[in-house]
Amino acid sequence: MASEDLIISSRVTINGWELTEQFILAGGPGGQNVNKVASAVQLFFPLMASPSLSDTVKERAAKIAGRRLSKEGVLLIEASRFRSQDRNREDARERLKALIVEAMQPPPPPRRKTKPTKGSIERRLKAKSGRSEIKKMRGKPGGD
């Protein structure tokens, strides 16, 4: 169990009891250290059951999380970038924080459709006809 609270913003804090950490053997480079020391971290966070987040933030975070979110609504973040366990713990917590901060951002305003100007339509058609002429010139010469 992770004991420290994770401060997301001035208004949102994830309690330490909501986070669960599991340490596993990491793959990749690192020599004998990789085979002996469980330096990789799996951070579990029950996203959909968390009382710390609002429903809209939970929905957006679920979309952002994608396949990292289980069917039960538990978010899994694996960190094995560093050789030390402490740095991997920090990395996993920072990645969780970044995901929730991104989910807290309001969605962008919807795109407003615009009509192309007459000049841009004319330029596009002129470019198309120019390309057409170039391609016609590539053909075999006609025997007139």
Side-chain angles (χ1 to χ4, degrees), residues 104-118:
M104 289 171 56
Q105 299 296 323
R111 181 182 174 274
R112 287 173 42 204
K113 294 180 183 177
T114 57
K115 196 173 181 181
T117 62
K118 283 190 177 185

Side-chain angles (χ1 to χ4, degrees), residues 31-144:
Q32 194 63 27
N33 185 58
V34 173
N35 300 332
K36 291 175 17 179
V37 181
S39 60
V41 178
Q42 288 182 331
L43 180 67
F44 297 95
F45 174 59
L47 178 69
M48 302 314 278
S50 175
S52 306
L53 303 174
S54 68
D55 290 336
T56 54
V57 172
K58 289 178 190 178
E59 290 173 18
R60 287 192 203 129
K63 277 186 185 174
I64 295 169
R67 296 183 66 204
R68 292 178 288 183
L69 190 69
S70 70
K71 292 178 184 174
E72 295 82 31
V74 177
L75 179 65
L76 167 65
I77 295 178
E78 288 192 17
S80 60
R81 195 180 331 180
F82 302 104
R83 286 184 63 174
S84 80
Q85 192 180 80
D86 287 338
R87 290 188 63 192
N88 282 329
R89 282 184 73 197
E90 291 173 17
D91 185 40
R93 292 169 72 91
E94 286 299 317
R95 285 168 44 194
L96 174 61
K97 181 178 178 178
L99 187 139
I100 294 173
V101 165
E102 186 179 345
M104 289 171 56
Q105 299 296 323
R111 181 182 174 274
R112 287 173 42 204
K113 294 180 183 177
T114 57
K115 196 173 181 181
T117 62
K118 283 190 177 185
S120 67
I121 292 172
E122 288 175 13
R123 284 191 297 274
R124 183 178 61 86
L125 293 176
K126 186 176 178 184
K128 283 179 70 147
S129 62
R131 290 298 301 166
S132 174
E133 288 299 319
I134 289 170
K135 289 185 177 192
K136 281 180 189 172
M137 297 299 282
R138 291 183 188 157
K140 293 182 180 178
D144 288 338

